C-alpha cells in the first residue's frame, strides 16, 4: 500500500482504489483506514474521531488526489482553524469514467463522465466541496451547485513522451501514438497524416507511462499540467507549442464547487480563487457551450492575457480524422462580460463555418 502526504511527489506509483491507503499529515502516528460506502471511500481516523469542518470530494487517481491535497493545503494556509487535526477530510469517489476503462470515452457517451458521481455526493451532503479538473466539467453545472473558484492555472501545453523520439516530427511513418483525446488525435493527424493514432489509450498518468514502456505504443501526449503536479516532468521528451497543439478548454485549471445554499463553504473556497484563471476558463467554456460538442467532437480553446493586458482567445474545431480543421481568434478587454462574449462569438463563427452535420457525424 502507498502512503500519501501533502507532497504530490508521494502520490507516485499509487495503486487502484481498493488497495489505496491515505495517511493524513494531521494524523501524526495514528493509523487510518478507508471506510467504503457504495463507491465512496472516506478517510477516517481510528483514534480521536472528530467531525470534519470540510469534506473534500475527489476522484482517486494520483493526479486527482494531488489536486485535492493542493486545495487542502491552500485552505489551511488561508484559514487557521482548518489546520487542526481532522478538520479536513478527503473523500474518494469513483466515477463512471474511472470504472469503464475498456472503451474510448467517445463510445461511453454522455457528459460528466468524471464528475457525475462527485456532484451527486455533493448534492447528497456526503461531501462539502468538490475538486475537479475543469476540462472534465460539463458546461452546465447541476442545479443547486456553484463553482466560484479556480486555483491558479498550471502550464496548459501538451507534453510529447517517447522512448525513441524527441518530437512528433521525428516519428517514422506508421508509428503508433496512444491517446484518449480526439482533440489531440485530430491535430496530430492534421499535421502528420502518416502516423497511426489510437484513441483508446486510457488510464491514469502512471498506467499510460507503463504501457509506453511496455511498447504498446511508440509515443503519447499528456497534459504538462498533470505531470508537473505529480513531479513527473522527467518523462517529457518535448513540449508542444500552443501553435502545434491547441489545448483543451480549461486544461490545467482546477475548479472547486459547493452547494449554492452553503454560504460557509462558498466563503472558504472563494478565498482561494485566482481571478485571471477564472476569467480565462469562463471565456473558454462560453465557446464550448455554444458548440455544445459531444465527446466525439474535437474542440480546443485557450484564453490568455497578451502583452497588452488584453484577452487573446483562440478556438478550434476539427474532424476526428484531422482532414478538416477550423480555427479562429478574438482579442478584447480582459473582463468577464467581454470575455464571455468573445468566447460565444468565436463559437458561433465556427458553428457557422462548420455547417450542418459537422458536430453530429
Amino acid at each position: 500500500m502507498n502512503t500519501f502526504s501533502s507532497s504530490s511527489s508521494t502520490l507516485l506509483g499509487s495503486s487502484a482504489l481498493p488497495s489505496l491507503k491515505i495517511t493524513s499529515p494531521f494524523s501524526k502516528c495514528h493509523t487510518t483506514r478507508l471506510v467504503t460506502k457504495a463507491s465512496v471511500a472516506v478517510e477516517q481516523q481510528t483514534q480521536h474521531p472528530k467531525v470534519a469542518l470540510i469534506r473534500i470530494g475527489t476522484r482517486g487517481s494520483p493526479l486527482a488526489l494531488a489536486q485535492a491535497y493542493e486545495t487542502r493545503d491552500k485552505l489551511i494556509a488561508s484559514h487557521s482553524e482548518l489546520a487542526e487535526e481532522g478538520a479536513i477530510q478527503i473523500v474518494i469517489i469513483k466515477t463512471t469514467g474511472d470504472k469503464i476503462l475498456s472503451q474510448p470515452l467517445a463510445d461511453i457517451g454522455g457528459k460528466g463522465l468524471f464528475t457525475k458521481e462527485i456532484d451527486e455526493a455533493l448534492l447528497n451532503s456526503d461531501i462539502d466541496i468538490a475538486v475537479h479538473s475543469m476540462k472534465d466539467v460539463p458546461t452546465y453545472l447541476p442545479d443547486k451547485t456553484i463553482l466560484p473558484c479556480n486555483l491558479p492555472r498550471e502550464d496548459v501545453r501538451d507534453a510529447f513522451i517517447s522512448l525513441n523520439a524527441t518530437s512528433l516530427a521525428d516519428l517514422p511513418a506508421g508509428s503508433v501514438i496512444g491517446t484518449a483525446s480526439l482533440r489531440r488525435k485530430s491535430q496530430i493527424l492534421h499535421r502528420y497524416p502518416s502516423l497511426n493514432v489510437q484513441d483508446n489509450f486510457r488510464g491514469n498518468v502512471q498506467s499510460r507511462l507503463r504501457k509506453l514502456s511496455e511498447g504498446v505504443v511508440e509515443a503519447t501526449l499528456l497534459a504538462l499540467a498533470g505531470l508537473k503536479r505529480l513531479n513527473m516532468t522527467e518523462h517529457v521528451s518535448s513540449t508542444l507549442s500552443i501553435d502545434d497543439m491547441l489545448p483543451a478548454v480549461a486544461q490545467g485549471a482546477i475548479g472547486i464547487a459547493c452547494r449554492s445554499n452553503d454560504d460557509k463553504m462558498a466563503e472558504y473556497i472563494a478565498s482561494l480563487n485566482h481571478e485571471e484563471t477564472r476569467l480565462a476558463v469562463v471565456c473558454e467554456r462560453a465557446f464550448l457551450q455554444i458548440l455544445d460538442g459531444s465527446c466525439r467532437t474535437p474542440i480546443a480553446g485557450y484564453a490568455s492575457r497578451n502583452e497588452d493586458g488584453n484577452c487573446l482567445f483562440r478556438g478550434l474545431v476539427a474532424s476526428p480524422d484531422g482532414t478538416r480543421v477550423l480555427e479562429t481568434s478574438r482579442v478584447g478587454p480582459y473582463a468577464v462580460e467581454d470575455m464571455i462574449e468573445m468566447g460565444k462569438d468565436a463559437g458561433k463563427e465556427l458553428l457557422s463555418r462548420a455547417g450542418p452535420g459537422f458536430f453530429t457525424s
Side-chain angles (χ1 to χ4, degrees), residues 9 47-48 55 57 71 75 85 100 109 182 198 203 231-232 236 276 296 298 303 322 337:
S9 62
Q47 297 180 31
H48 310 300
R55 296 163 299 168
T71 301
L75 283 167
E85 181 178 333
I100 306 175
L182 292 182
Q198 295 186 358
N231 293 335
M232 296 180 69
V236 176
E276 182 169 330
R296 295 183 180 278
E337 294 302 328

Side-chain angles (χ1 to χ4, degrees), residues 5 17 26 49 76 81 118 120 141 145 168 177 215 228 293 301-302 307 322 324 329 360:
S5 72
L17 181 60
F26 302 122
I76 290 172
E81 71 274 19
I118 299 175
E120 290 173 349
L141 297 176
T145 69
L168 286 166
I177 302 175
K228 284 189 171 186
Y302 177 49
E307 61 273 13
R324 193 175 180 202
S329 63
T360 57

Side-chain angles (χ1 to χ4, degrees), residues 144-179:
K144 300 180 181 178
T145 69
I146 55 173
L147 203 158
C149 172
N150 290 121
L151 299 185
R153 196 172 199 174
E154 187 47 274
D155 197 317
V156 303
R157 295 174 296 171
D158 284 305
F160 174 80
I161 304 175
S162 175
L163 302 179
N164 309 309
T166 58
S167 69
L168 286 166
D170 288 343
L171 290 170
S175 295
V176 178
I177 302 175
T179 182

Side-chain angles (χ1 to χ4, degrees), residues 30 43 57 86 101 127 136 143 162 165 178 193 201-202 209 240 254 270 283 324 336 344-345 356:
H30 302 316
E43 176 189 5
L101 295 174
I127 58 175
D136 294 333
D143 288 341
S162 175
F201 193 70
R202 295 189 52 211
L209 292 176
L240 281 72
I254 297 172
C283 178
R324 193 175 180 202
V336 63
K344 287 182 176 179
D345 192 60

Side-chain angles (χ1 to χ4, degrees), residues 21-24 27 29-34 43-46:
K21 177 181 179 182
I22 300 175
T23 301
S24 167
S27 63
C29 62
H30 302 316
T31 59
T32 62
R33 63 188 175 89
L34 289 181
E43 176 189 5
Q44 290 190 342
Q45 302 295 328
T46 57

Side-chain angles (χ1 to χ4, degrees), residues 46-163:
T46 57
Q47 297 180 31
H48 310 300
K50 173 181 177 179
V51 176
L53 296 177
I54 300 180
R55 296 163 299 168
I56 301 176
T58 176
R59 294 169 60 202
S61 72
L63 177 55
L65 285 169
Q67 294 177 166
Y69 277 113
E70 180 180 342
T71 301
R72 183 208 59 188
D73 292 346
K74 289 180 181 294
L75 283 167
I76 290 172
S78 300
H79 305 278
S80 58
E81 71 274 19
L82 299 178
E84 294 183 18
E85 181 178 333
I88 298 179
Q89 189 179 74
I90 303 294
V91 181
I92 299 170
I93 301 170
K94 203 163 188 178
T95 67
T96 301
D98 298 313
K99 296 171 185 174
I100 306 175
L101 295 174
S102 59
Q103 300 171 253
L105 292 174
D107 291 348
I108 300 174
K111 297 183 181 181
L113 293 173
F114 294 105
T115 60
K116 181 175 178 287
E117 286 81 1
I118 299 175
D119 291 334
E120 290 173 349
L122 183 61
L123 290 170
N124 291 335
S125 297
D126 293 325
I127 58 175
D128 301 302
I129 64 174
V131 177
H132 297 297
S133 292
M134 280 304 302
K135 65 182 179 62
D136 294 333
V137 178
T139 52
Y140 292 96
L141 297 176
D143 288 341
K144 300 180 181 178
T145 69
I146 55 173
L147 203 158
C149 172
N150 290 121
L151 299 185
R153 196 172 199 174
E154 187 47 274
D155 197 317
V156 303
R157 295 174 296 171
D158 284 305
F160 174 80
I161 304 175
S162 175
L163 302 179

